Amino acid sequence: MKRASKIWAVNFPIYIIMCIFLLFSCSDDNNNATSGPEVSSNREVRIAVVLKKGDRQERVQRILDLARENITMARGGVVPSYEYYDEDTTTLASLAVELASREDIAAVVGCYDDQHTKTLAYECIKTDKTMFTFNTSQELARIFGEHGNYWGLSESDITQCEILLSIISKAANADVALLACDNEYGQTFVDWFAFQASEMGLNPVGIATYKDKSEIPDAYRKACASHPVFTLCVPNNAEEANIMYECTKMDDFAYWTMPFFTDRAYEPAILKNEGVMGLNLVADPTSGFSVIYKARFGEAPIHGEAELYDAIMLTCLASRYDEEHNLNNLNLAIGTLLYYHSDSQGGWMSGNMKQIFETIAEGGVPEVSGAVGKLDFDPKNYTLITHSTYDYWMVYEGKFLSLNYMKRSEGEHSSSPIVSWEWDKTYQQQFDEHMSDIGYPALTGNKAVIIAASGGWENYRFQADALEYYQMLRSAGYSDDDIILIMSDDLAQNANNPDKGVVRRSVDGDNLYKDVVVDYRLEDITYNDLAVIFSGKADVAHPEVLDSGTGDNVLFFWSSHGTQAGLALGNIYNVSGKQMARILQKMSNEQRFRKMMWIVEACYAGGVAKECEGIPGLLVMTAANANESSKADLWYAPYGVYITNRFTSSIISRLKSDPATSLRDLYNVAFTGTLGSHVTIYNADNYGNLYQNTMREFFRN
């Protein structure tokens, strides 16, 4: 199996010589830069920096000063000036609007906090204001990464999760758990942990989250209930990391699991725990930045400092390029500079920047590298850096000891925010093409149940996908009487909808709300109501029921949020696997369907599907297995929401192009086309040969 990370073997004597060379080179740059035009001839490039102050203020300020000093000495005709705001004490919503609209601000850099970054980015995309960030939330990269103005200087935490699991997988093919903070930072790991662990031959046995540090012990017990050998720990800070480490020694839970910590544990407070290990984002050691930084300031840089330096440098270089070529588009200038990947290092130093400025002045396009190392972007598709460097560290004798510098291997998996990013999955189900098919009664009719069980504007995609199924079935000859449709029906006239009366799941797609008949509003439905609707016995409260019989095929689509406890049914209820099994088993016992195809678009849907195994004539296809989250597909900026899910997009695309596709081919298309989860089929042995059975039985017209 391919491994998702590459360990750098660094030759120590050569590295020391290189560092000395870089130190003297930097010194030479400083001395040689004394001649030339006066600083007063430089044009000011104003940059807004929205980061934490407090204990980070000194570190941020030293980077701002260092960048200004080196850019000034590079004599490129520009010099940065700053407005520095504290993201924790400023009214960020109003500040974001102001900075995004100000023409004198060339670029904005921020933030540390995920929600703060989102607030800032929302306003910056409205005006195409250049924004740099080193926030690593994969969701922010997916939402903003394709707009062309959001430049992420660190890979998303998809990669960090991948590399941590690759370290664990090298130790053993073992049980592994996840303990994570419940916010956007932790959500990246929740979304990708089980999927990546399975692909690496590990067995994900527990996932738990916490909102407050007081909840960590209980969350630890939940995550580690199955006694994993390793636990991936995702704290907000070192204080929470210390609590997690103490949990491994709790007397009432006498089980030791080896914790591996993510980058936010990398603070001095963690140093009291001898032997603790983890990962931390760092500058590429061959760039020379860390060596020179430590020589100058007496300590190693932390994550964010090299990235901040590069944000300032790139803004100034691009501003000069923009001016030289009359582009009037700073983002285009940045993309042009980053298009040519430089294999050289040390491009951030004043002497090298001087050469870059000279190339720009001559009308050329220079190759640029930064303090973080290679600035490998692909501006044609997205604006997130494609390779970051991670320090695999251990606490040894009260200090951080670097065990290895690690990167994702060239050409392997990527944390690109665009939805076309695919993992080369290996754990695909196999089905017996020679299986004897099961005999069924003659097909006499078709019925359908479509449930969008999560409502609200923020959950737009679930109802949009449900309406796509509804319209597809109507086009296939189903009458409205043949379809039970349950949804909140709160999108078409929603106050957030700029296109009143319209619901779509692609940017230029048809209005899916046209001629729709909603049978039940989601807010009026409980599990007991579902049981009545599926019973086929109408009453005053349930006039529309699934009146299927022995010869009917039933297509059942469910789209909602999901947890390990079951499928969401509105904002209050969860429907468990055992509850759904009771409903469907009763229908089977009463011979009220010939075949039923249940397609489930929800996180952790496999847990529900497992409980339904053994029911004759039922086939369940889920977007994710029992341990994984499913993934949204297309973010639509004018609406501010995702408008479809990836699993559903893959299936609908296939059914529209080939309604007679075999179930095995439909599974293959959905499996390879679904982002970040394992599409799984359940109960195939009780349904029939998936090579011979096709979807034509559900789309006869």
Side-chain angles (χ1 to χ4, degrees):
M1 178 187 295
K2 290 182 178 180
R3 293 303 181 193
S5 62
K6 178 171 64 180
I7 300 177
W8 292 358
V10 180
N11 188 299
F12 185 74
I14 294 176
Y15 180 66
I16 292 298
I17 293 170
M18 181 193 72
C19 293
I20 294 171
F21 171 76
L22 286 171
L23 281 169
F24 278 103
S25 297
C26 187
S27 176
D28 288 343
D29 288 339
N30 294 346
N31 293 333
N32 293 339
T34 56
S35 61
E38 294 299 318
V39 175
S40 60
S41 66
N42 287 333
R43 177 173 58 85
E44 181 181 277
V45 177
R46 184 164 290 274
I47 301 170
V49 178
V50 188
L51 296 169
K52 295 180 185 295
K53 289 191 175 181
D55 58 354
R56 288 183 181 262
Q57 182 167 358
E58 181 182 351
R59 283 184 170 273
V60 170
Q61 193 61 55
R62 68 173 53 153
I63 293 297
L64 299 180
D65 293 342
L66 178 63
R68 181 191 289 128
E69 175 185 320
N70 282 343
I71 292 169
T72 300
M73 288 191 295
R75 307 292 181 180
V78 293
V79 63
S81 65
Y82 311 113
E83 295 181 13
Y84 181 13
Y85 301 91
D86 187 345
E87 66 178 277
D88 289 330
T89 60
T90 305
T91 304
L92 202 59
S94 58
L95 176 64
V97 173
E98 176 194 341
L99 295 179
S101 62
R102 281 177 53 185
E103 294 184 0
D104 64 318
I105 297 291
V108 180
V109 184
C111 302
Y112 289 110
D113 180 83
D114 302 293
Q115 188 57 50
H116 293 165
T117 305
K118 181 183 287 187
T119 299
L120 197 58
Y122 266 130
E123 297 304 325
C124 286
I125 65 170
K126 294 177 182 178
T127 62
D128 288 327
K129 178 67 68 180
T130 299
M131 176 177 172
F132 288 96
T133 186
F134 37 88
N135 189 288
T136 54
S137 166
Q138 63 98 12
E139 191 65 9
L140 297 179
R142 289 191 66 204
I143 291 173
F144 302 112
E146 290 187 277
H147 289 280
N149 73 307
Y150 181 92
W151 300 91
L153 288 163
S154 299
E155 280 195 86
S156 86
D157 284 322
I158 298 173
T159 297
Q160 184 175 183
C161 186
E162 177 184 336
I163 292 178
L164 276 165
L165 288 170
S166 76
I167 294 170
I168 294 171
S169 69
K170 287 178 173 62
N173 293 332
D175 292 349
V176 61
L178 173 71
L179 175 59
C181 50
D182 186 6
N183 52 28
E184 290 205 32
Y185 170 66
Q187 190 62 44
T188 302
F189 296 90
V190 172
D191 284 346
W192 289 87
F193 162 75
F195 171 77
Q196 291 176 334
S198 298
E199 285 293 311
M200 294 181 189
L202 298 167
N203 182 28
V205 296
I207 299 175
T209 61
Y210 64 91
K211 289 185 178 296
D212 183 81
K213 63 183 180 182
S214 63
E215 300 174 1
I216 291 176
D218 287 340
Y220 170 82
R221 292 184 180 92
K222 179 181 178 182
C224 300
S226 297
H227 296 174
V229 179
F230 302 99
T231 300
L232 200 163
C233 295
V234 187
N236 283 301
N237 48 50
E239 179 188 4
E240 292 180 0
N242 284 329
I243 298 172
M244 291 177 178
Y245 184 74
E246 290 303 313
C247 286
T248 65
K249 300 179 283 185
M250 290 190 299
D251 292 336
D252 62 335
F253 197 84
Y255 177 77
W256 170 260
T257 178
M258 173 66 77
F260 279 83
F261 288 95
T262 56
D263 58 323
R264 292 195 181 178
Y266 190 84
E267 297 177 8
I270 198 70
L271 292 173
K272 68 179 184 179
N273 299 310
E274 193 73 8
V276 163
M277 291 184 289
L279 214 61
N280 183 47
L281 274 158
V282 293
D284 185 329
T286 62
S287 77
F289 179 81
S290 296
V291 175
I292 294 173
Y293 183 103
K294 192 169 184 178
R296 179 162 180 165
F297 301 114
E299 58 184 337
I302 61 175
H303 172 53
E305 295 188 270
E307 290 83 355
L308 175 58
Y309 186 100
D310 285 345
I312 297 162
M313 178 188 73
L314 286 171
T315 300
C316 290
L317 293 177
S319 181
R320 184 69 185 88
Y321 187 91
D322 186 33
E323 179 183 44
E324 183 68 29
H325 293 270
N326 297 313
L327 297 176
N328 197 30
N329 188 326
L330 188 63
N331 291 307
L332 177 58
I334 294 169
T336 303
L337 292 176
L338 295 176
Y339 185 80
Y340 296 100
H341 298 165
S342 174
D343 289 327
S344 64
Q345 296 284 21
W348 60 275
M349 292 185 290
S350 59
N352 291 333
M353 277 195 287
K354 185 174 187 295
Q355 295 175 12
I356 293 171
F357 277 122
E358 289 172 352
T359 300
I360 292 172
E362 293 166 0
V365 181
E367 294 183 356
V368 181
S369 65
V372 298
K374 293 182 182 181
L375 295 171
D376 287 354
F377 286 77
D378 183 359
K380 286 185 177 180
N381 295 317
Y382 60 96
T383 51
L384 190 73
I385 201 167
T386 57
H387 286 88
S388 291
T389 305
Y390 296 84
D391 177 17
Y392 176 29
W393 55 266
M394 179 178 71
V395 175
Y396 178 71
E397 294 184 350
K399 296 180 180 179
F400 289 114
L401 173 67
S402 293
L403 301 176
N404 258 313
Y405 292 110
M406 308 186 73
K407 280 191 176 185
R408 181 173 44 80
S409 297
E410 297 281 352
E412 294 216 2
H413 310 313
S414 166
S415 58
S416 157
I418 57 175
V419 297
S420 62
W421 175 77
E422 299 295 352
W423 189 299
D424 184 17
K425 302 174 193 172
T426 58
Y427 284 82
Q428 188 171 6
Q429 288 176 275
Q430 301 298 318
F431 306 103
D432 183 5
E433 64 181 304
H434 303 295
M435 172 186 174
S436 298
D437 205 15
I438 296 172
Y440 286 96
L443 175 59
T444 59
N446 291 91
K447 302 287 183 179
V449 178
I450 300 174
I451 302 177
S454 292
W457 185 257
E458 69 279 5
N459 295 317
Y460 186 106
R461 63 192 184 275
F462 297 117
Q463 293 186 74
D465 285 346
L467 290 174
E468 182 74 84
Y469 268 96
Y470 177 89
Q471 297 293 0
M472 189 166 55
L473 292 179
R474 290 301 305 271
S475 297
Y478 285 68
S479 71
D480 184 69
D481 291 337
D482 295 327
I483 306 171
I484 303 294
L485 177 60
I486 302 172
M487 58 186 286
S488 286
D489 194 17
D490 57 358
L491 301 183
Q493 301 302 327
N494 195 288
N496 295 301
N497 192 345
D499 304 313
K500 291 294 186 291
V502 175
V503 178
R504 57 169 62 95
R505 52 172 295 279
S506 60
V507 173
D508 298 317
D510 296 334
N511 180 11
L512 301 174
Y513 196 66
K514 184 179 180 180
D515 300 326
V516 165
V517 178
V518 178
D519 294 292
Y520 297 99
R521 293 286 299 271
L522 178 62
E523 291 71 21
D524 300 328
I525 296 297
T526 67
Y527 168 75
N528 290 334
D529 295 305
L530 281 184
V532 174
I533 292 168
F534 276 84
S535 75
K537 298 174 182 177
D539 58 27
V540 174
H542 309 91
E544 302 295 333
V545 294
L546 179 57
D547 56 350
S548 54
T550 304
D552 288 321
N553 279 354
V554 178
L555 184 64
F556 179 17
F557 175 69
W558 183 303
S559 185
S560 74
H561 288 294
T563 69
Q564 291 175 316
L567 304 176
L569 184 63
N571 297 324
I572 301 175
Y573 304 104
N574 274 326
V575 178
S576 71
K578 286 184 169 59
Q579 287 176 315
M580 284 308 304
R582 282 200 295 271
I583 289 176
L584 301 182
Q585 184 66 63
K586 185 173 184 293
M587 287 189 69
S588 176
N589 294 343
E590 296 172 354
Q591 299 183 359
R592 293 197 39 253
F593 61 81
R594 175 179 178 269
K595 293 181 179 179
M596 178 181 285
M597 176 76 172
W598 186 15
I599 301 172
V600 192
E601 171 68 82
C603 298
Y604 311 107
V608 172
K610 278 183 178 180
E611 297 291 342
C612 298
E613 290 187 317
I615 299 175
L618 172 69
L619 188 74
V620 189
M621 183 185 295
T622 65
N625 63 30
N627 297 308
E628 297 171 347
S629 63
S630 63
K631 306 296 188 294
D633 187 18
L634 178 63
W635 178 266
Y636 188 43
Y639 288 9
V641 293
Y642 287 104
I643 58 176
T644 185
N645 291 289
R646 185 54 177 258
F647 169 67
T648 300
S649 292
S650 299
I651 290 180
I652 286 177
S653 177
R654 179 65 173 190
L655 291 177
K656 284 187 172 182
S657 65
D658 182 12
T661 185
S662 73
L663 296 180
R664 186 262 185 185
D665 286 349
L666 183 64
Y667 164 75
N668 282 347
V669 167
F671 181 89
T672 57
T674 298
L675 176 73
S677 63
H678 291 94
V679 172
T680 308
I681 280 184
Y682 296 86
N683 208 41
D685 290 344
N686 291 291
Y687 186 87
N689 189 314
L690 299 192
Y691 287 81
Q692 297 176 15
N693 283 273
T694 76
M695 291 301 292
R696 176 61 72 193
E697 294 182 294
F698 298 94
F699 293 90
R700 289 194 289 171
N701 289 348

